Amino acid sequence: MTTKKSIISLANNGGIALYCLLVVFPMLAAFVYAFLYSFGVVGVFSEGVTVRHWAALFSSSELARSIGLSIVLAFFTTLLSVFIGLLTGLALHEHLRKGVFSTIAHIPLAIPPVVAAFAIIQLCSGSGFAARLLLACGVIGSLAEFPSLVHDTLGIGIVCAFTLTAAPFFALLFAALYESENVRHLEELAATLGASRLQRRWRVSIPLLVRRAGANITLLFVAVLGGYEIPLLLGLQSPQMLSVLAHRKYAMFDLAEKPQAFVLAVVYTALVMVLLVFFMKKKR
Amino acid sequence: MNIQIRYFLFIAALFLASCTKPTREPEAAKQSWQAIEQSAKGATVRLMMWQGDPYINAYMKTYVVPEVQKRYGITLELLSGQGPQLVSLMASEREAGKTESSIDAMWINGETFYQLRQMSVLERFVERLPNAALIDFKNPFIGQDFQQTTDGYECPWGNVQMAIIYDTLRTPNPPRTRTALKEYVKAHPGRFTFDNFFTGMTFLKALLIDIAGGEAALQGAFKPELYEKHSRELWHYLRELKPHLWKQGRVFPSGVAEMHQLFVAGELDFTMSNNDGEVDNKVLQGLFPKSARAFVLDGGTIQNSHYMGIPANSAHKDAAMVVVNFLISPEAQLRKFNPEIWGDGTVLAMDKLSAEWREKFATIPTRRYSPRREDIQSKALKELAPEYMIRLFADFRKEIIEQ
């Protein structure tokens, strides 16, 4: 008995150790490195400890605009994905469990962000499929009249591409939760207590499903916040979302700006940590 | 995500660097070329280069890679990356204390060369290449890279001149001067732009030289006061154009490949290329219509060369040198010169070649759609000091994109 127990505890501890070694340690080391780099402690052109890079980044409007843009686009992507997910998940939950619909719904899960961005370029750019179709139908007089979603000022293209990758996941998630959380029974119960169809959805099913999917919703928000490929391909050159800005500072011509990339990395990590802690507290 | 992976690589590299002992390789300078070829046998050379053109990629993959394997037993691996990526990779490797670079050769020029030299990460090797004797180093467009002497730290590979590309059916009379361009852009809103990478900045340099009153004004080392003075007028000019540019100048294409697509799709009236032979190459690929042509501005466009460099801490310097020596051989240069293969200008001096090779260079199928070199050579401008490019990149963002 004791040997079995000790083997189990060893396996558990081993698992934790492996997790720390492969996940926690590299992340922590990277964070410390970024932190040191941002203050000029390390780096090939470092001239000693300085707060110059922090001051440079915080004194320009670039950082604030980038954070603002990232948060706004992440918010709208999350809102739209959850909305579409609820709509389709609730309407089709029986079909989404198995059969043709389920297969179709699973396909978009395999779409990488780059492909989603290219889909938007193919369909919704100024010379894309939609623009040509509308031109051929005479809806628009020239290609230039089409409101292109590539590099658009409001970031609609970015939100659409991210939603394309996230909404199908939420549809499947909500459909699965609908079954596993016995939402149907709760709805029926609400119905016997006199709730209307709309009330059942708004007061019973949706709050329950959204609360259950809370962790996933937060993760989607964080993923969009740090997304790289989609804003790189579809975004403006100013302002840029956080990862795109960080990579530009990291690998653009002026080597003197490189430490600012690490300032951004530290700021981004702090932002995500605050978000996660806030969410955890709320959940408790 | 991307950044995090890079951090991780930093850390991993740090560990690896501390685990392996630095090994000193035999001093290559003392070896004869034969011995170098001998020691190169069986090595793998990792070459980092821009891979944004199908013809260039095909030249490398279907000709250079198999040839160096067959002739010298060298496995050549091509990696994608250019300019700033290379500089940041080399900087990261130094920061991580790597004693052995992850690449053995790289395609560079201008400000990339300048920054790599500043970091002292380049090997001096060109004098050792037998074929270097054939290079036209006396030509200032080849022997000098952005006003810098190359000093054997990079080997000329090809020579090109920037040209503006248009469709004769759509735009029979393209604007050829700075003033005419402004009028054209105002009359055709949304139909003109330039990319915010190498080619676009090279275009801006030509405008800057034109504004400064010609090539002579900005020759030599970088002078901040001259740059300030003339660039102010350049930004003024561009701000006047901005509302009439593609997407109202809020965004610029990320490179020539994107510009070409927009041109072909009909969104733009013009695209550009740093290669004066580009139109032939792209018509043959079926990308451009046969009515596409190229021209250079009356004020001139930049002609420059591109080079091959070898990192000082490459583990396969001998093999890298053998590859570069092959790239500047008459045979490889001739093939690259052919507009049906790539259409890149040669860096070899015709008077140093044997009569047989001279004849071959003279009789190669000529360009059909691109301007002839003889016709644009008189409008060739020499590159400016690298700081101009670095400043233009940064200030273009500040003065135009972020406005």
Side-chain angles (χ1 to χ4, degrees):
Chain A
M1 269 313 263
T2 39
T3 19
K4 202 175 173 189
K5 244 184 196 164
S6 67
I7 287 173
I8 290 171
S9 99
L10 193 72
N12 279 341
N13 290 336
I16 292 168
L18 198 68
Y19 180 79
C20 285
L21 187 73
L22 294 180
V23 180
V24 179
F25 177 70
M27 292 289 236
L28 207 64
F31 183 75
V32 170
Y33 185 81
F35 191 77
L36 295 178
Y37 206 120
S38 73
F39 284 105
V41 181
V42 289
V44 70
F45 289 113
S46 157
E47 292 160 355
V49 179
T50 173
V51 290
R52 194 157 48 90
H53 310 302
W54 284 80
L57 197 64
F58 276 85
S59 65
S60 77
S61 63
E62 222 173 12
L63 178 69
R65 289 168 72 204
S66 179
I67 292 179
L69 178 75
S70 302
I71 290 177
V72 168
L73 294 190
F75 175 76
F76 280 108
T77 302
T78 311
L79 199 68
L80 198 63
S81 301
V82 170
F83 177 72
I84 295 174
L86 277 173
L87 215 62
T88 46
L90 284 175
L92 302 169
H93 65 93
E94 269 158 36
H95 304 284
L96 285 174
R97 300 298 289 160
K98 45 184 173 282
V100 186
F101 261 123
S102 150
T103 314
I104 293 173
H106 276 86
I107 291 173
L109 296 184
I111 296 182
V114 178
V115 175
F118 278 121
I120 297 290
I121 292 176
Q122 286 292 325
L123 295 174
C124 306
S125 74
S127 51
F129 183 74
R132 281 158 199 267
L133 195 70
L134 291 180
L135 183 69
C137 299
V139 181
I140 51 173
S142 75
L143 285 179
E145 286 171 35
F146 182 77
S148 163
L149 292 189
V150 180
H151 310 309
D152 67 293
T153 359
L154 297 173
I156 297 171
I158 297 177
V159 171
C160 287
F162 273 122
T163 304
L164 206 61
T165 59
F169 169 76
F170 278 100
L172 289 167
L173 179 72
F174 288 131
L177 284 174
Y178 191 85
E179 304 286 327
S180 68
E181 299 291 318
N182 281 326
V183 179
R184 179 189 302 278
H185 292 134
L186 293 171
E187 282 185 337
E188 280 165 6
L189 187 64
T192 57
L193 293 173
S196 71
R197 200 181 133 76
L198 204 66
Q199 276 176 325
R200 271 177 275 158
R201 282 278 137 103
W202 275 105
R203 313 289 291 265
V204 180
S205 342
I206 291 176
L208 184 80
L209 291 174
V210 168
R211 196 164 304 155
R212 284 281 172 245
N216 287 299
I217 293 171
T218 314
L219 285 177
L220 171 67
F221 186 87
V222 170
V224 176
L225 201 66
Y228 179 70
E229 298 97 327
I230 287 175
L232 179 74
L233 291 166
L234 300 179
L236 291 173
Q237 278 139 7
S238 170
Q240 289 172 315
M241 280 178 72
L242 280 165
S243 295
V244 182
L245 179 65
H247 191 259
R248 174 161 67 77
K249 295 277 182 193
Y250 179 82
M252 230 15 209
F253 277 90
D254 200 349
L255 283 172
E257 283 198 354
K258 194 172 165 183
Q260 289 185 28
F262 292 89
V263 177
L264 262 164
V266 173
V267 170
Y268 171 73
T269 313
L271 197 67
V272 170
M273 285 301 157
V274 168
L275 268 170
L276 290 181
V277 168
F278 179 72
F279 173 74
M280 300 285 187
K281 257 200 185 144
K282 219 178 152 190
K283 208 179 169 189
R284 228 176 277 152
Chain B
M1 194 62 173
N2 204 327
I3 296 283
Q4 277 165 356
I5 291 171
R6 275 163 192 262
Y7 292 163
F8 178 72
L9 290 177
F10 272 159
I11 302 302
L14 266 172
F15 276 113
L16 287 177
S18 57
C19 296
T20 51
K21 270 190 201 145
T23 45
R24 276 246 152 252
E25 62 153 1
E27 194 50 41
K30 291 181 191 120
Q31 299 174 39
S32 72
W33 186 251
Q34 246 177 350
I36 289 175
E37 279 190 352
Q38 200 58 43
S39 93
K41 205 162 273 174
T44 298
V45 171
R46 293 161 65 85
L47 166 61
M48 192 169 263
M49 58 178 281
W50 178 67
Q51 295 194 9
D53 186 290
Y55 266 33
I56 298 176
N57 297 348
Y59 171 77
M60 294 304 292
K61 281 177 191 153
T62 62
Y63 172 67
V64 178
V65 170
E67 284 297 317
V68 295
Q69 178 65 256
K70 200 172 78 194
R71 294 175 193 212
Y72 312 106
I74 295 171
T75 307
L76 182 61
E77 277 177 19
L78 305 177
L79 306 166
S80 195
Q82 63 169 333
Q85 287 121 295
L86 272 167
V87 174
S88 100
L89 175 72
M90 288 286 128
S92 306
E93 287 196 350
R94 270 206 43 190
E95 282 159 2
K98 269 191 96 171
T99 50
E100 226 174 65
S101 177
S102 55
I103 56 173
D104 306 300
M106 47 197 170
W107 190 12
I108 54 176
N109 79 351
E111 71 295 319
T112 308
F113 176 62
Y114 169 75
Q115 289 183 307
L116 293 176
R117 289 259 354 232
Q118 275 191 320
M119 292 192 284
S120 322
V121 291
L122 288 173
E123 173 77 4
R124 184 171 189 159
F125 70 100
V126 180
E127 301 91 331
R128 296 184 217 151
L129 309 180
N131 286 334
L134 304 173
I135 291 178
D136 193 3
F137 280 110
K138 261 184 255 152
N139 181 341
F141 291 103
I142 293 171
Q144 282 186 17
D145 183 13
F146 284 52
Q147 312 271 334
Q148 316 158 88
T149 52
T150 55
D151 298 332
Y153 286 98
E154 59 174 359
C155 179
W157 185 31
N159 172 274
V160 288
Q161 184 168 345
M162 200 198 119
I164 300 173
I165 296 163
Y166 67 109
D167 185 342
T168 45
L169 293 181
R170 273 194 268 156
T171 320
N173 295 307
R176 288 171 187 274
T177 63
R178 191 155 43 93
T179 326
L181 179 67
K182 185 159 77 180
E183 279 160 19
Y184 182 93
V185 172
K186 283 185 174 169
H188 304 83
R191 311 288 303 166
F192 181 83
T193 193
F194 45 88
D195 71 275
N196 77 340
F197 214 52
F198 283 122
T199 311
M201 296 305 111
T202 308
F203 170 68
L204 294 191
K205 253 190 279 183
L207 292 182
L208 188 71
I209 293 172
D210 193 28
I211 287 169
E215 207 181 2
L218 299 174
Q219 282 303 291
F222 178 72
K223 294 180 202 75
E225 64 285 357
L226 269 183
Y227 170 79
E228 294 293 342
K229 185 175 147 208
H230 298 303
S231 67
R232 207 171 304 135
E233 200 177 325
L234 175 66
W235 307 133
H236 177 76
Y237 176 82
L238 291 176
R239 270 196 286 269
E240 241 182 290
L241 290 192
K242 190 176 171 177
H244 312 286
L245 294 176
W246 179 71
K247 301 258 179 199
Q248 289 89 49
R250 285 193 317 261
V251 73
F252 293 83
S254 55
V256 276
E258 193 180 344
M259 283 262 285
H260 288 351
Q261 280 165 14
L262 292 167
F263 169 68
V264 174
E267 277 195 65
L268 291 176
D269 285 343
F270 299 92
T271 180
M272 294 173 193
S273 175
N274 266 341
N275 182 359
D276 44 309
E278 181 89 342
V279 183
D280 275 272
N281 165 322
K282 289 292 175 297
V283 169
L284 288 168
Q285 279 175 33
L287 182 65
F288 287 178
K290 284 203 170 75
S291 49
R293 293 290 182 277
F295 69 99
V296 300
L297 296 167
D298 287 348
T301 55
I302 303 273
Q303 184 183 120
N304 68 21
S305 292
H306 43 93
Y307 302 77
M308 278 289 160
I310 296 178
N313 58 351
S314 151
H316 314 284
K317 269 184 249 177
D318 287 352
M321 281 195 286
V322 173
V323 169
V324 175
N325 192 54
F326 173 72
L327 290 176
I328 57 167
S329 65
E331 188 188 332
Q333 287 275 313
L334 178 74
R335 203 178 161 86
K336 183 164 70 74
F337 187 55
N338 187 335
E340 288 168 15
I341 305 287
W342 171 351
D344 188 32
T346 182
V347 293
L348 301 182
M350 286 304 126
D351 56 356
K352 289 180 182 168
L353 294 180
S354 69
E356 185 197 344
W357 280 114
R358 239 196 326 269
E359 172 73 15
K360 282 185 180 164
F361 271 98
T363 55
I364 206 147
T366 49
R367 297 172 169 185
R368 288 163 64 193
Y369 309 101
S370 308
R372 286 170 171 278
R373 247 310 162 77
E374 305 88 88
D375 300 337
I376 58 172
Q377 186 65 46
S378 62
K379 291 181 194 162
L381 304 171
K382 280 198 274 301
E383 275 287 5
L384 304 176
E387 291 94 329
Y388 284 100
M389 189 75 151
I390 295 170
R391 287 292 299 269
L392 277 179
F393 259 107
D395 292 346
F396 176 63
R397 168 160 280 284
K398 247 191 305 199
E399 302 283 344
I400 304 297
I401 295 183
E402 286 172 10
Q403 286 301 309

